[in-house]
């Protein structure tokens, strides 16, 4: 297997239209997708990810229904992109090989197969299908703070052996401190760097996504994710426009037109934001306690329903070690906290 | 001269009520100041800065008038603080020795004397007055990206020789890349570390304030600034509540109660925010082009008046190398850009 050729020092993937789907409660319109892809493509972004926040097939009761069929969005994105490659996320257990084939037919040329950081062994079948289809392959090792650098590297090895061209350190909770991120980047580059690139996907829960992106580059990572206006789960991703400005300042070549990116964020994405992702209490608690970023809106809804502060729900989820795929447990946590509160109230009165 | 004794690994100064004054257009009420100081004090913050954004005496036509007399705010802060020391900013040329005496009488126990990074020689008189008054002394070397680490260290030496106990690397534009910040921290610690502490004041224009705070600690810096909800000029400061969470994760002792800080940000400051400081186009351009953070609202007002995009005004200010104190030039830049636009329009029509 060979690494894909890359043309710049860093290959930026923008995930506004996939990770940002969480922050938009999966309500993207076709027009928003077209406008965003066009702006990203013109600004020199080489990979644009488009799908439900939880990947192809994610539109469901458990993860939230999409407003627009994602195959329609992928096809629209493909039409708008002159040079950018369209990518989709696929979480085994949520999306199927069939979803992947449909995404490929709609125009997706890259798949990012995402598993929990210790469960790479559920990914090989999907990498196999993707390689048969001739797609470029990325592997997401999610919640990468939850295992050691050594073990993460072993999981990356499983993915690469299965046909993954670029395994990613995926900091789903925005919880990786800089030295923790560096150790994971170095471990993956040492393990698979001869035959694969290594990637980094960060969140801004404690505002270290951009800093970790710089450290990623220093450590040999060449695929880095961002999203416009930081639009993504939790407090959002490393903003693509900030990555552009910082790499420009550092003289690291990305092929990005920073002014065009700043305009894309401000003039295309900002007008349709439900809310600007920010480091509020809920988001910081996710980074502090290491909670899956896409739990945010679920916890807010459960908190409203059961009259429990969402940040307490999120902190409990961190203590209990819940990971992506356990969204249904958030309701149980809220019910438990409400019961604790009621018992405490009864004891006082 | 001796360094002040410090009780924790890092001494956090919160500047919500000073740098945040810029973001609030200097409209703080006494009640907001009381509530914020009480919350910070209870959360273990050791130094709380209170004054006009441009320092004592800043309330003026050029810098914006304060809603509440700052001596009233300082006295209120002093009343609310059980353990925290109240600090004021003083910019020579804006504030006078007389303003400092009045601030001291109102309850300020620390002064932070701020000069452009190459103009420490305007500070000695004020340090002298402060030491006579028995105040703790900090020196701000503003726009620290605009001079070399070696020269910045020489400027810190001038301040320390004049009675400054803690010179600061002050990244007023949020423009310092991590390696640039580290070089400055190391240079100052090497130059004055035997007799003074070194401090760091960061802005989040490209979201490196928190990362640079960690690097500061690694480099021997022991005074670090933050503000709740990042409330400060430009895209705001390193959020105090995030600094608390990150240092907690790193096992670096700050004496902060992180949960109390998260509540202070969410329940005390957030309700009175005019807007949540964010990395929008204007703020990012400031970090990218190295523009003084407090120029933001001035540029927005000038942009509205002369129908010129504020980010273009800010970028031009960066090209022209304007620094704090040259706020009046922002109008000239806006007029110049408007004239250029009109000439271009005339040529086309």
């Amino acid at each position: 297997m060979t690494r894909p050729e890359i043309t710049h020092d860093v290959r930026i993937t923008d995930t506004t239209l996939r990770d940002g789907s969480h922050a938009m409660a999966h309500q993207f319109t076709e027009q928003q997708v077209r406008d965003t892809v066009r702006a990203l493509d013109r600004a020199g972004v080489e990979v644009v990810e488009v799908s439900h926040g939880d990947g192809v097939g994610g539109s469901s009761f458990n993860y939230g229904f999409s407003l627009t069929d994602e195959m329609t969005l992928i096809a629209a994105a493909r039409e708008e992109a002159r040079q950018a490659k369209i990518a989709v996320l696929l979480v085994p257990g949520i999306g199927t090989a069939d979803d992947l084939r449909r995404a490929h037919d709609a125009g997706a040329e890259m798949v990012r197969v995402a598993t929990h950081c210790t469960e790479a062994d559920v990914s090989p079948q999907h990498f196999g299908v993707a390689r048969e289809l001739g797609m470029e392959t990325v592997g997401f090792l999610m919640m990468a703070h939850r295992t050691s650098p050594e073990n993460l590297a072993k999981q990356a090895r499983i993915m690469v052996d299965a046909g993954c061209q670029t395994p990613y350190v995926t900091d789903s909770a925005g919880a990786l401190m800089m030295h923790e991120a560096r150790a994971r980047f170095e471990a993956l580059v040492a393990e698979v760097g001869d035959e694969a690139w290594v990637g980094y996907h960060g969140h801004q829960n404690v505002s270290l996504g951009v800093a970790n992106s710089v450290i990623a580059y220093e450590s040999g990572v060449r695929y880095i994710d961002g999203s416009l206006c930081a639009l993504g789960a939790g407090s959002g991703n490393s903003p693509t426009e900030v990555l552009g400005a910082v790499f420009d300042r550092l003289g690291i070549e990305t092929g990005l037109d920073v002014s065009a990116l700043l305009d894309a964020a401000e003039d295309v994405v900002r007008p349709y934001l439900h809310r600007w992702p920010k480091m509020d209490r809920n988001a910081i608690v996710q980074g502090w306690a290491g909670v899956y970023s896409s739990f945010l809106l679920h916890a807010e809804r459960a908190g409203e329903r059961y009259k429990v502060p969402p940040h307490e729900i999120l902190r409990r989820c961190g203590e209990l070690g819940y990971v992506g795929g356990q969204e249904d447990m958030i309701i149980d946590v809220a019910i438990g906290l409400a019961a604790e509160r009621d018992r405490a109230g009864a004891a006082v009165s």
Side-chain angles (χ1 to χ4, degrees), chain A:
Chain A
M1 209 190 62
T2 55
R3 306 193 287 197
E5 279 191 33
I6 61 175
T7 45
H8 302 289
D9 293 341
V10 173
R11 192 164 191 222
I12 298 286
T13 295
D14 183 277
T15 182
T16 310
L17 299 172
R18 196 282 301 168
D19 210 323
S21 173
H22 290 297
M24 295 286 288
H26 317 293
Q27 300 302 297
F28 275 120
T29 66
E30 183 178 334
Q31 193 60 48
Q32 288 165 349
V33 167
R34 285 187 182 275
D35 294 344
T36 308
V37 173
R38 199 179 319 116
L40 288 166
D41 183 77
R42 304 309 185 265
V45 173
E46 294 182 279
V47 183
V48 175
E49 192 178 40
V50 181
S51 39
H52 185 282
D54 296 286
V56 288
S59 181
S60 61
F61 183 78
N62 202 18
Y63 298 102
F65 290 101
S66 300
L67 174 68
T68 316
D69 182 85
E70 60 192 333
M71 298 304 157
T72 305
L73 300 181
I74 293 164
R78 177 66 275 153
E79 274 181 27
E80 297 294 342
R82 288 194 302 212
Q83 55 78 26
K85 193 175 261 196
I86 304 302
V88 293
L89 185 78
L90 189 156
V91 183
I94 299 177
T96 63
D98 230 44
D99 291 320
L100 182 56
R101 286 192 193 93
R102 292 197 303 134
H104 174 259
D105 291 347
E109 297 166 86
M110 179 197 283
V111 64
R112 315 210 298 173
V113 179
T115 78
H116 183 61
C117 59
T118 55
E119 297 178 2
D121 56 359
V122 304
S123 68
Q125 183 210 345
H126 298 88
F127 284 122
V129 173
R131 299 306 290 153
E132 276 170 32
L133 292 167
M135 297 176 83
E136 187 183 336
T137 50
V138 157
F140 260 34
L141 291 162
M142 297 191 290
M143 300 286 273
H145 71 287
R146 292 281 294 279
T147 193
S148 68
E150 298 67 35
N151 196 42
L152 198 70
K154 283 184 200 156
Q155 298 286 313
R157 165 56 58 200
I158 293 171
M159 286 187 160
V160 170
D161 286 349
C164 169
Q165 295 167 293
T166 308
Y168 261 62
V169 176
T170 301
D171 185 13
S172 317
L176 283 178
M177 300 291 105
M178 295 186 286
H179 70 287
E180 296 168 338
R182 188 186 294 275
R184 283 163 179 76
F185 300 143
E186 290 176 350
L188 265 65
V189 169
E191 175 65 40
V192 303
D194 286 342
E195 55 203 297
W197 300 110
V198 173
Y200 167 61
H201 172 94
H203 281 267
Q204 286 282 74
N205 297 66
V206 293
S207 76
L208 295 179
V210 175
N212 284 342
S213 297
V214 174
I215 291 168
Y217 177 77
E218 292 171 356
S219 308
V221 168
R222 293 293 174 264
Y223 276 54
I224 293 177
D225 283 13
S227 64
L228 294 172
C229 297
L231 193 67
S235 60
N237 298 103
S238 318
T240 306
E241 62 277 23
V242 176
L243 290 175
V246 166
F247 283 125
D248 177 63
R249 282 284 313 282
L250 294 171
I252 296 165
E253 221 252 312
T254 57
L256 297 175
D257 176 339
V258 179
S259 293
L261 277 180
L262 289 167
D263 293 347
E266 197 78 22
D267 301 331
V268 178
V269 174
R270 187 173 184 167
Y272 67 64
L273 287 182
H274 295 179
R275 61 178 179 188
W276 193 289
K278 60 170 76 76
M279 285 191 290
D280 61 10
R281 179 167 52 195
N282 294 343
I284 297 167
V285 163
Q286 289 187 286
W288 188 32
V291 184
Y292 198 56
S293 284
S294 68
F295 279 18
L296 178 62
L297 295 193
H298 295 278
E300 288 182 356
R301 278 187 223 113
E304 194 171 334
R305 188 159 160 201
Y306 297 101
K307 310 291 175 222
V308 185
H311 67 97
E312 293 183 13
I313 299 175
L314 291 164
R315 196 171 304 179
R316 185 65 59 90
C317 288
E319 289 163 6
L320 292 169
Y322 291 149
V323 299
Q326 295 184 288
E327 281 76 359
D328 51 332
M329 302 305 293
I330 296 170
I331 298 280
D332 287 3
V333 167
I335 293 170
L337 286 169
E340 285 175 30
R341 177 203 56 208
D342 293 344
R343 277 196 301 274
V348 168
S349 61

